[in-house]
Amino acid sequence: MNKEKIAIAYSGGLDTSVMIKWLKDKYDADIVAVTGNLGQQKEIENLEEKAVATGASDFSFLDLRKTFVEEYIWPALKAGALYEDVYPLATALGRPLLAKALVDVALSENCTMLAHGCTGKGNDQVRFEVTFASLAPHLKVLAPLREWEFTSREAEIAYAQQHNIPVSATKKSPYSIDENIWGISIECGVLEDPMVSPPEDAYQITTSPEKAPDKAAVLDIEFEQGVPVALDGKKMDGLDLIMELNKRGASHGVGRLDMIENRVVGIKSREIYEAPAATILHFAHRELERLTLEKTVFQYKSHISQDYANLIYNGTWFSPMRDALDGFIEATQKNVTGLVRVKLFKGSVTLLGRTSPWSLYNEELATYTEADTFNHKAAEGFIHIYGLGLKTYSEVNAKHIR
Ligand code: ARG
């Protein structure tokens, strides 16, 4: 009989390392470890060696960064997707892509099961498994962290030592950190008390605003149909542009977020985020929309932004709903082309100016000078009719004083 084959979403950290050995023993299966590069800096060295030493029979390392930028981050940026108005959704956007990559490998390697290393009380298990269900409903899904015997990190480390599983020697941070190019999510440790302000060591990439340079940085960001394409007059590839904005934003203390958020599973949790590029780009993009979108489209789009953010957060990326919302969003981005000038200074991003060939701002209509072309007389009749309903209402009500 053929052995079972399990494809595992592997990060190289303690949980997924222990998982390889644990699943291999439990199912007497071959293990295919899959790691996706979404731009995380940590734990991507010697992964193949580590996976194999831990017991995997196969290892794939997939550079997903370009796909992540073009097919996940840009749609989310164009949508203006900020969960509960704050979180740019870095972790949440990465999950469906990792899940899809895992499914692709599983199908080409004839795996019968998929496994992930998410805990039983978070959002990520939902995102992985809902994606698996949309893309490969016939594969069995395993979530060892929901069922295994280990109740602490120490117990996992003991198991790892007992089975010669290499775990990284670097001192474990007191935080749980998830990282990709769109942002870093940090929780646990002292952060679990929402009244405790984050210690400096919780932040991984940003300089504290207090220590940021006294001299502001000015950035010119150019967009074409909602997508950033150039920085300071230089055309740039999306990935490079995001990395550059992360670097420059971080050095000015931009992009620190501290949020109580509503998880899919009903828990309120406190998360710290660092997302310099996402913060700058969402801000600049929206400012350009203020200039270029027709009034009702601009106002209506904020509902769509919320729906889109919820959809990403809730793990339903691969869904007919996203296709439908993308249709609306694409239509709105046709004229979101132009340049936005922003200033980074001690943790803040502020606007210096914006311009677009599609600008709907008409200076002759807006001006209070001689150049004014607005028809002031026409306002009178407009207001008369516009206010007629309320006028009638209040006349009728005045007759019936209670
Ligand atoms: N709260 C974020 C989300 O659900 C991040 C989750 C992962 N966080 C972490 N620190 N490991 O998208």
Side-chain angles (χ1 to χ4, degrees):
M1 230 207 43
N2 273 346
K3 259 183 144 178
E4 295 269 21
K5 221 176 186 187
I6 309 174
I8 295 189
Y10 174 69
S11 71
L14 180 65
D15 288 337
T16 56
S17 297
V18 166
M19 227 170 82
I20 290 182
K21 173 72 181 149
W22 192 86
L23 285 174
K24 189 178 154 90
D25 287 353
K26 177 161 179 183
Y27 290 91
D28 184 27
D30 284 335
I31 305 293
V32 180
V34 182
T35 304
N37 180 5
L38 297 182
Q40 66 273 34
Q41 316 274 333
K42 296 209 175 96
E43 302 196 290
I44 57 171
E45 273 124 54
N46 311 323
L47 274 186
E48 168 147 29
E49 253 169 71
K50 243 167 109 175
V52 170
T54 307
S57 48
D58 245 307
F59 172 78
S60 307
F61 183 78
L62 308 166
D63 189 353
L64 305 172
R65 292 176 302 170
K66 191 173 151 62
T67 310
F68 189 40
V69 172
E70 289 169 6
E71 295 174 30
Y72 294 72
I73 293 176
W74 289 164
L77 176 65
K78 290 192 269 189
L82 295 171
Y83 185 63
E84 295 180 341
D85 302 327
V86 175
Y87 167 38
L89 295 156
T91 298
L93 273 169
R95 296 310 179 206
L97 174 54
L98 288 173
K100 181 180 186 300
L102 189 69
V103 166
D104 290 344
V105 172
L107 294 179
S108 73
E109 300 283 323
N110 295 316
C111 296
T112 46
M113 298 187 249
L114 300 164
H116 64 73
C118 308
T119 73
K121 57 195 284 189
N123 298 315
D124 289 327
Q125 53 174 348
V126 179
R127 297 168 183 150
F128 266 109
E129 292 179 39
V130 169
T131 305
F132 295 157
S134 323
L135 302 180
H138 60 291
L139 296 181
K140 186 174 156 73
V141 178
L142 306 170
L145 271 76
R146 288 202 296 249
E147 50 164 306
W148 69 20
E149 60 274 26
F150 313 115
T151 51
S152 69
R153 208 178 150 76
E154 288 66 39
E156 284 181 55
I157 292 174
Y159 177 90
Q161 280 166 351
Q162 192 187 328
H163 293 94
N164 295 319
I165 296 169
V167 286
S168 63
T170 53
K171 202 173 144 283
K172 165 73 181 165
S173 127
Y175 309 107
S176 158
I177 298 169
D178 182 73
E179 181 197 3
N180 65 47
I181 40 170
W182 201 227
I184 304 181
S185 309
I186 308 144
E187 59 182 350
C188 299
V190 294
L191 301 174
E192 286 178 358
D193 178 347
M195 191 56 198
V196 169
S197 43
E200 251 332 283
D201 77 346
Y203 294 105
Q204 310 298 305
I205 54 168
T206 52
T207 305
S208 81
E210 288 84 352
K211 294 202 178 116
D214 292 326
K215 194 171 172 318
V218 175
L219 298 178
D220 279 356
I221 306 168
E222 280 167 71
F223 290 84
E224 256 169 41
Q225 304 200 322
V227 173
V229 291
L231 194 59
D232 294 335
K234 204 175 116 214
K235 287 264 172 229
M236 273 173 104
D237 163 72
L239 181 61
D240 293 336
L241 188 139
I242 293 175
M243 291 196 304
E244 179 66 18
L245 283 180
N246 272 335
K247 205 168 81 199
R248 297 183 56 185
S251 72
H252 286 274
V254 167
R256 291 185 169 190
L257 306 164
D258 177 342
M259 179 185 189
I260 299 287
E261 69 192 39
N262 291 295
R263 281 193 194 162
V264 187
V265 295
I267 300 171
K268 277 194 194 291
S269 66
R270 194 267 190 105
E271 191 105 37
I272 304 303
Y273 296 106
E274 291 180 283
T279 300
I280 297 166
L281 288 173
H282 269 291
F283 174 75
H285 178 260
R286 187 150 161 82
E287 292 305 326
L288 190 56
E289 288 190 331
R290 288 182 199 282
L291 187 68
T292 55
L293 295 192
E294 183 274 330
K295 174 178 172 176
T296 57
V297 172
F298 179 80
Q299 294 182 351
Y300 192 81
K301 189 174 175 255
S302 61
H303 304 290
I304 301 292
S305 300
Q306 259 188 32
D307 291 339
Y308 207 89
N310 288 341
L311 175 153
I312 295 170
Y313 191 87
N314 297 339
T316 54
W317 180 259
F318 292 102
S319 60
M321 186 60 173
R322 182 171 61 89
D323 291 343
L325 294 179
D326 275 338
F328 176 87
I329 292 158
E330 272 311 306
T332 65
Q333 298 301 292
K334 206 171 73 217
N335 294 348
V336 185
T337 295
L339 182 148
V340 183
R341 181 167 296 156
V342 299
K343 180 167 99 177
L344 312 183
F345 184 64
K346 294 198 182 289
S348 70
V349 196
T350 48
L351 185 67
L352 295 177
R354 64 305 245 173
T355 178
S356 165
W358 304 97
S359 169
L360 301 178
Y361 179 86
N362 182 330
E363 201 164 341
E364 288 176 2
L365 287 177
T367 185
Y368 286 94
T369 67
E370 287 294 319
D372 188 8
T373 60
F374 182 78
N375 182 351
H376 292 241
K377 278 305 280 177
E380 193 181 325
F382 165 73
I383 295 165
H384 177 72
I385 290 171
Y386 177 71
L388 193 55
L390 284 179
K391 183 164 172 262
T392 308
Y393 176 86
S394 96
E395 281 165 1
V396 168
N397 278 271
K399 284 192 224 143
H400 297 273
I401 292 171
R402 273 172 282 208

